[in-house]
Amino acid sequence: MADLLNPRPPAPEGAPRRPRLGILGAGQLARMDQQAAIALDVDLRLLADGPGDAAVLAGAEALVGDHGDLDVLRAFAAGVDVVTFEFEGVDNALLQTLVDEGHRLVPTPTAKLYAQDKLHQRRGLGAAGFPVPPFEQARTADEVAAFAATHGWPVVLKAPRGGYDGRGVGVIADVAEADEFLAPLPDGALVEPALTIVRELAVQVARTSDGTAVAYPVVETVQVDAMLRELVAPAGVDPALAAEASDLALRIVEHIGATGLVAVELFLTPDGLQVNELAMRPHNSGHYSIEGAVTSQFEQHVRAALDWPLGSTALTAPAAVTVNVVGPADGSDPRERLPAALAVAGAHVHLYGKGARAGRKLGHVTALGPDAATARATAWRAVEILEGTAS
Ligand code: ADP
């Protein structure tokens, strides 16, 4: 059976029982969940790939095993009160088996499918009347061409499952490119128009099993190469639009019956708001909340998973900006420049303990400020130092 890393000694005789929260995954999101769990004195156990995972390096108790193996999942679930997640890519049928065997999962597999399968999400939300972009399932390049005949080239093709940070998303100019994109996808892809995106917005929602839900202020994300680069909280949109986005996110989470932390990603297009993606876990678009909100998304996820009262989602400053730290092209490690970055007053640096590789997300910096421009300048100053591009 799998190894248990960083095993916690048994609680002393007579000590009050602490809740045991299980998280599938042990990367940077679990590492930040762990920080929240420490503050609340919650026992955490992770399912990890190995001792080098970001959260295991930080001392979290972790079972090492394959989340695609039902016996591993059973052993993991048996050791915790609640199973929650830091990623989407878990076999939904295996999760359903755990539920059928009496384990508590947050969110349930039925809800989680909306975050795992983009086609399921578009179909389900579209049928319920939520605003989703026009879409079809395309198995062949001819079907893509038929869609383009109505909506125009280029189109956007998306692998229904398994994509993140833009992997599995392609802007497709013609039939030959469609053929190439579809080749490794026997079940085809989601095809949608290349939308005119005015802004990309996100709303974090937390919900407990009794239906209580809270939404964080609407934030704006800026993607570079389809990966989130910068995040501004609150989004610089008018209050009516912010209220609409927030209401939409809450209604979607309610409709799906999701519990725990959910990030609802939205596109603002000339035709209004459209749903892009759902993530059922803390999300990069909510990292600002560690310093920028009264309750961080990670603490909120722990609270929601344990069905505890949810915390305030109010901002702690007029503006918060998070910029991701990305591995520089020369392969150098931002950690080497950490002391210099810490000289930037007001920059909150988070490094994930991951090996440096060009283009890899290695950490983030958040700054608070009286306005977005001030916070942005502070966060970028520290990130440029860390990435070695500061002049
Ligand atoms: P991932 O699962 O990799 O995060 P997304 O579906 O969120 O994939 O797409 C990644 C990014 O690609 C989006 O944040 C957006 O910038 C861009 N994108 C996605 N869909 C479209 C579209 N239909 N039209 C234009 N740009 C898109």
Coordinates of all heavy atoms in Angstrom, one line a residue, residues 3 5-6 25-27 46-58 60 62-66:
D3 N 2.8 4.8 0.7 CA 3.5 5.4 1.8 C 2.7 6.6 2.4 O 2.1 7.3 1.7 CB 4.8 6.0 1.4 CG 5.8 4.9 0.9 OD1 5.6 3.8 1.4 OD2 6.7 5.2 0.2
L5 N 3.6 10.0 4.1 CA 4.7 10.9 4.4 C 4.3 11.9 5.5 O 3.2 12.2 5.6 CB 5.1 11.7 3.1 CG 5.5 10.9 1.9 CD1 5.7 11.8 0.7 CD2 6.7 10.1 2.2
N6 N 5.3 12.4 6.2 CA 5.1 13.3 7.3 C 3.9 12.9 8.3 O 3.0 13.7 8.5 CB 4.7 14.7 6.8 CG 5.8 15.3 5.9 OD1 7.0 15.0 6.1 ND2 5.5 16.0 4.8
G25 N -4.4 15.9 -4.2 CA -3.5 16.8 -4.8 C -2.6 17.4 -3.7 O -3.1 17.6 -2.6
A26 N -1.4 17.8 -4.1 CA -0.4 18.3 -3.1 C 0.5 19.4 -3.7 O 1.6 19.5 -3.3 CB 0.4 17.2 -2.5
G27 N -0.1 20.1 -4.6 CA 0.7 21.2 -5.3 C 0.5 22.5 -4.5 O 0.2 22.5 -3.3
L46 N -3.1 14.8 2.5 CA -3.2 15.0 1.1 C -2.9 13.7 0.4 O -2.3 12.8 0.9 CB -2.1 16.0 0.7 CG -2.0 17.3 1.5 CD1 -0.9 18.2 1.0 CD2 -3.4 18.1 1.3
L47 N -3.4 13.6 -0.9 CA -2.9 12.5 -1.7 C -1.9 13.1 -2.7 O -2.2 14.0 -3.5 CB -4.1 11.9 -2.5 CG -3.7 10.7 -3.4 CD1 -3.3 9.5 -2.5 CD2 -4.9 10.3 -4.2
A48 N -0.7 12.7 -2.6 CA 0.4 13.3 -3.3 C 1.0 12.3 -4.4 O 0.8 11.1 -4.3 CB 1.5 13.7 -2.3
D49 N 1.7 12.9 -5.3 CA 2.5 12.1 -6.3 C 3.8 11.6 -5.7 O 4.3 10.6 -6.0 CB 2.8 12.9 -7.5 CG 1.6 13.2 -8.4 OD1 0.6 12.4 -8.3 OD2 1.5 14.3 -9.1
G50 N 4.4 12.4 -4.8 CA 5.6 12.0 -4.2 C 6.1 13.1 -3.2 O 5.5 14.1 -3.0
P51 N 7.3 12.8 -2.6 CA 7.8 13.7 -1.6 C 8.2 15.1 -2.0 O 8.4 16.0 -1.2 CB 9.0 13.0 -1.0 CG 9.4 12.0 -2.1 CD 8.2 11.7 -2.8
G52 N 8.3 15.3 -3.4 CA 8.7 16.6 -3.9 C 7.6 17.5 -4.2 O 7.8 18.7 -4.6
D53 N 6.3 17.1 -3.9 CA 5.2 18.0 -4.2 C 5.2 19.2 -3.2 O 5.6 19.1 -2.1 CB 3.8 17.2 -3.9 CG 3.6 16.2 -5.1 OD1 4.4 16.0 -5.9 OD2 2.5 15.6 -5.0
A54 N 4.7 20.3 -3.8 CA 4.9 21.6 -3.1 C 4.4 21.5 -1.6 O 5.0 22.0 -0.7 CB 4.1 22.7 -3.8
A55 N 3.2 20.9 -1.4 CA 2.7 20.9 0.0 C 3.3 19.9 0.9 O 3.4 20.0 2.1 CB 1.2 20.6 -0.1
V56 N 3.9 18.8 0.3 CA 4.6 17.8 1.1 C 5.9 18.4 1.6 O 6.3 18.2 2.7 CB 4.8 16.5 0.3 CG1 5.5 15.4 1.1 CG2 3.5 16.0 -0.3
L57 N 6.5 19.2 0.7 CA 7.8 19.8 1.1 C 7.5 20.8 2.3 O 8.4 21.0 3.1 CB 8.3 20.7 -0.1 CG 8.9 19.9 -1.3 CD1 9.3 20.9 -2.4 CD2 10.2 19.1 -0.8
A58 N 6.3 21.3 2.3 CA 6.0 22.2 3.4 C 5.5 21.4 4.7 O 5.0 22.0 5.6 CB 4.9 23.2 3.0
A60 N 3.1 18.8 5.0 CA 1.8 18.3 5.1 C 1.8 16.7 5.1 O 2.7 16.1 4.4 CB 0.9 18.7 3.9
A62 N 0.9 13.3 3.9 CA 0.4 12.9 2.6 C 0.6 11.4 2.4 O 1.6 10.8 2.7 CB 1.2 13.7 1.5
L63 N -0.5 10.9 1.8 CA -0.4 9.5 1.3 C 0.1 9.6 -0.2 O -0.4 10.5 -0.9 CB -1.9 9.0 1.2 CG -2.1 7.5 1.1 CD1 -1.6 6.8 2.4 CD2 -3.5 7.2 0.9
V64 N 1.1 8.8 -0.5 CA 1.6 8.8 -1.9 C 0.8 7.7 -2.7 O 0.8 6.6 -2.2 CB 3.1 8.6 -1.9 CG1 3.6 8.5 -3.4 CG2 3.8 9.7 -1.2
G65 N 0.2 8.2 -3.8 CA -0.5 7.2 -4.5 C -1.1 7.8 -5.8 O -1.1 9.0 -5.9
D66 N -1.7 6.9 -6.6 CA -2.2 7.3 -7.9 C -3.7 7.6 -7.7 O -4.5 6.7 -7.3 CB -2.0 6.1 -8.9 CG -2.6 6.4 -10.2 OD1 -3.2 7.4 -10.4 OD2 -2.5 5.4 -11.0

